[in-house]
Amino acid sequence: MSENEPVESGPPDAGPAEVAPSPRGASDGDPSRSAASRDGDAERVHVQDRGQPILEVRDLVVRYDQQVVLNGISFDVHEGEVLTIIGGSGSGKSTVLKCILGVVTPVSGSVRLLGVDMVNGSVADRDDVYKRIGMVYQSGALFGSMTVWENVALPLQQHTSLDGKIIDIAVRMKLGLVRLSGFEDRLPSQLSGGQVKRVAFARAIAMDPEVLFCDEPSAGLDPRIGRGIDDLINNLNRAFNMAVVVVTHEMESVKEIADHVIMLAPMPGGARVVFSGSYEELECCADEAVQEFVSRAPLQEPRSEATEVLKQLVGED
């Protein structure tokens, strides 16, 4: 905890409340899902065939000025699936997310989210999609002048005609799901980093989204609190059968939450998908780029002068 971070009262960051599975969840005996043990006492449900994808990305090409940053990216996400997008810094992970959400327009390729063309679809159609998805930003992106209750209530106030009493009940329920009951009147500046992330999750699920997008949800958190965020993602996925797309470079998180993993790697002519499969398959993949990433192999410094300066600083000849 930093010297400027407030001392917490109430529930700790780690260990979000268990959420009872919904009738559509992992315990319904759905033959399209098979359970596999992750750590001996917890089960991850692997989605194998859920019918028509709710997210389809095809041959995505993105260019910034004259530089191609993504080249031919394709993948699907199905209902109830947790997809993690991994890759080194600068590999285009966040750019893929921006394309899916319609923030960045690709040079070519297509994105269909919940049946809507997010590249060429109408503004009205895309606005409808935005009401059916949730987004957790890396920084949390809470409004600093608004209380926790006001931050979580905002989507419901802006996009529904619900009575104020119903909104209040919904907000308190969502905060209960992320173990922040009693924090309604706090400002973001009075929260720890883990608490800010959990408020961001509560706001993202305020309208019961069909798809939840998370950009580096564990970034900047210590391992124990980061594990709590992983558990929260698993609980939400199982309880509501929502698809979850997570951009991350935290391999422990990938191990805990992923049904499917894709890895992006920079290539001449733009980043490409170099791996697509399960976490177990990722560990066994023989691709050099994948192995270097998974094993945390050090980057090779292309600038020889930097190496020479480093040697001088440490006293090597």
Side-chain angles (χ1 to χ4, degrees):
M1 178 180 295
S2 68
E3 61 182 8
N4 295 323
E5 189 170 272
V7 177
E8 296 181 24
S9 61
D13 280 315
E18 289 293 330
V19 184
S22 71
R24 297 183 299 164
S27 61
D28 59 5
D30 187 339
S32 67
R33 308 186 82 177
S34 60
S37 175
R38 279 297 192 202
D39 55 12
D41 59 356
E43 290 184 341
R44 277 297 304 144
V45 177
H46 293 279
V47 179
Q48 296 179 0
D49 184 6
R50 305 291 290 184
Q52 187 70 17
I54 60 175
L55 171 61
E56 301 173 81
V57 177
R58 292 289 180 271
D59 302 319
L60 209 61
V61 177
V62 176
R63 179 186 297 123
Y64 291 151
D65 295 325
Q66 299 303 311
Q67 180 183 4
V68 177
V69 294
L70 296 176
N71 192 353
I73 306 299
S74 298
F75 60 89
D76 292 337
V77 178
H78 294 79
E79 180 183 5
E81 181 178 23
V82 179
L83 172 77
T84 58
I85 304 175
I86 65 173
S89 298
S91 61
K93 304 185 299 296
S94 293
T95 300
V96 170
L97 207 55
K98 291 175 181 177
C99 288
I100 294 171
L101 298 175
V103 178
V104 170
T105 302
V107 174
S108 62
S110 65
V111 176
R112 294 193 68 84
L113 177 57
L114 297 173
V116 173
D117 185 340
M118 298 300 289
V119 177
N120 300 308
S122 68
V123 173
D125 285 344
R126 286 187 289 176
D127 283 347
D128 286 340
V129 168
Y130 295 144
K131 298 174 186 178
R132 299 167 60 192
I133 66 173
M135 178 70 203
V136 178
Y137 298 91
Q138 181 173 340
S139 64
L142 302 183
F143 291 96
S145 62
M146 298 170 64
T147 65
V148 166
W149 188 96
E150 291 169 333
N151 270 281
V152 178
L154 186 61
L156 296 169
Q157 293 170 332
Q158 293 288 320
H159 301 298
T160 75
S161 57
L162 292 173
D163 180 79
K165 292 181 180 179
I166 301 299
I167 291 178
D168 182 62
I169 292 172
V171 170
R172 294 178 188 278
M173 286 179 61
K174 301 307 183 187
L175 288 173
L177 286 176
V178 300
R179 291 194 65 186
L180 285 180
S181 295
F183 284 66
E184 291 83 359
D185 295 329
R186 290 200 188 186
L187 292 170
S189 60
Q190 298 171 316
L191 303 175
S192 71
Q195 290 168 345
V196 166
K197 289 291 179 73
R198 285 193 276 147
V199 174
F201 271 94
R203 182 179 62 185
I205 64 172
M207 295 182 62
D208 298 322
E210 297 170 58
V211 190
L212 180 64
F213 296 94
C214 307
D215 188 11
E216 300 283 4
S218 301
L221 303 179
D222 71 44
R224 177 173 171 267
I225 297 174
R227 175 58 188 267
I229 297 297
D230 295 340
D231 291 342
L232 176 58
I233 291 172
N234 280 335
N235 289 339
L236 294 174
N237 166 251
R238 290 168 178 168
F240 302 111
N241 201 36
M242 69 174 66
V244 186
V245 178
V246 181
V247 168
T248 186
H249 61 269
E250 300 285 350
M251 293 308 298
E252 281 301 313
S253 292
V254 175
K255 179 180 179 180
E256 293 299 326
I257 68 176
D259 292 311
H260 195 86
V261 184
I262 65 169
M263 178 176 169
L264 305 182
M267 299 281 182
R272 296 178 180 271
V273 175
V274 295
F275 173 83
S276 177
S278 68
Y279 178 81
E280 290 79 10
E281 292 168 334
L282 178 71
E283 290 187 304
C284 300
C285 181
D287 183 271
E288 183 178 359
V290 174
Q291 283 297 312
E292 288 179 352
F293 183 81
V294 173
S295 65
R296 300 180 67 193
L299 292 172
Q300 295 184 354
E301 175 56 64
R303 297 180 299 171
S304 59
E305 65 269 21
T307 303
E308 296 303 317
V309 169
L310 180 61
K311 287 182 178 181
Q312 293 176 16
L313 288 174
V314 299
E316 293 184 3
D317 295 331

